[in-house]
């Protein structure tokens, strides 16, 4: 029977860097100022990364309400030509966000009949000038001042809405004059 020498029964593991200090020992060996600087710098980097991630993955804000972002006003009222039963109205539409003009509707059933307004895309910050004609039915009373004459239908990715077109006092007087000229014939 062969017997092993005494030292050969144990496993000997040699660690080349055994005399190096561990990470905790190195950290404690640093000055207080160096530890604070490293901790604050690491915290700032982590906070910046988290804020960058939140900003990059945040969904875009929804578009504004199309009616709230759109301004519609009458810029001109044309008197009727000869014995025609209609008169022209020029409308200026501007929007702070991208909207699509999808049509128009009269404000008073039976009094006015509008001719269709063509659909058009309206980029933000741009204005669109439309000319439409209004047919008058003389047997009905005039609408009261300060109320919408027309409604312009605008749409964006959020929803569709109707923007009112309210004539000013001078425009109301011009519309009354146009209706009086039509109804006298």
């Amino acid at each position: 029977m062969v017997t092993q020498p005494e030292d050969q029964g144990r496993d000997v593991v040699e660690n080349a860097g055994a005399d190096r200090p561990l990470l905790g020992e190195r950290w404690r060996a640093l000055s207080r100022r160096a530890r604070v600087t490293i901790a604050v710098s690491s915290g700032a980097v982590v906070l910046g990364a988290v804020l960058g991630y939140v900003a990059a993955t945040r969904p875009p804000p929804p578009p504004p309400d199309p009616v709230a972002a759109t301004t519609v006003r009458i810029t001109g009222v044309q008197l009727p030509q000869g014995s025609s039963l209609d008169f022209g109205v020029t409308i200026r539409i501007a929007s702070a966000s991208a909207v699509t003009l999808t049509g128009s509707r009269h404000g008073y059933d039976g009094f006015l009949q509008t001719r269709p307004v063509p659909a058009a895309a309206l980029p933000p910050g741009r204005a669109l000038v439309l000319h439409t004609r209004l047919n008058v039915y003389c047997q009905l009373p005039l609408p009261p001042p300060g109320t919408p004459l027309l409604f312009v239908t605008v749409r964006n990715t959020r929803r569709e809405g109707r923007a009112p077109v309210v004539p000013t006092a001078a425009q109301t007087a011009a519309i009354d004059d146009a209706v009086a000229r039509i109804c006298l014939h």
Side-chain angles (χ1 to χ4, degrees):
M1 202 159 147
V2 179
T3 61
Q4 292 183 349
E6 291 179 22
D7 288 349
Q8 288 185 1
R10 292 185 291 166
D11 290 333
V12 178
V13 177
E14 247 184 71
N15 190 352
D19 56 345
R20 290 172 132 185
L22 296 174
L23 183 59
E25 292 171 354
R26 283 195 211 158
W27 179 255
R28 286 187 289 279
L30 291 174
S31 69
R32 185 170 195 278
R33 175 180 274 175
R35 286 187 297 204
V36 168
T37 303
I38 291 171
V40 169
S41 299
S42 299
V45 167
V46 169
L47 181 63
V50 168
L51 290 176
Y53 173 77
V54 167
T57 58
R58 193 172 103 190
D65 182 67
V67 174
T70 305
T71 57
V72 185
R73 62 186 177 92
I74 297 174
T75 58
V77 177
Q78 301 166 348
L79 293 176
Q81 302 294 324
S83 62
S84 91
L85 297 176
D86 63 353
F87 63 96
V89 175
T90 304
I91 302 168
R92 183 180 187 274
I93 304 168
S95 180
S97 68
V99 296
T100 302
L101 172 70
T102 59
S104 66
R105 186 177 150 255
H106 55 278
Y108 304 97
D109 289 335
F111 172 68
L112 299 171
Q113 179 182 3
T114 59
R115 293 192 181 157
V117 173
L122 186 59
R126 312 260 344 248
L128 181 65
V129 177
L130 297 174
H131 304 285
T132 187
R133 300 209 55 88
L134 303 175
N135 292 333
V136 177
Y137 297 102
C138 296
Q139 63 271 25
L140 296 173
L142 290 172
T147 56
L149 178 68
L150 299 169
F151 291 96
V152 175
T153 307
V154 288
R155 166 176 56 85
N156 64 7
T157 57
R158 184 175 183 182
R159 70 178 197 97
E160 182 174 275
R162 290 192 171 109
V165 182
V166 180
T168 63
Q171 292 167 345
T172 301
I175 291 170
D176 290 348
D177 186 37
V179 170
R181 285 186 185 194
I182 290 172
C183 292
L184 288 178
H185 288 97

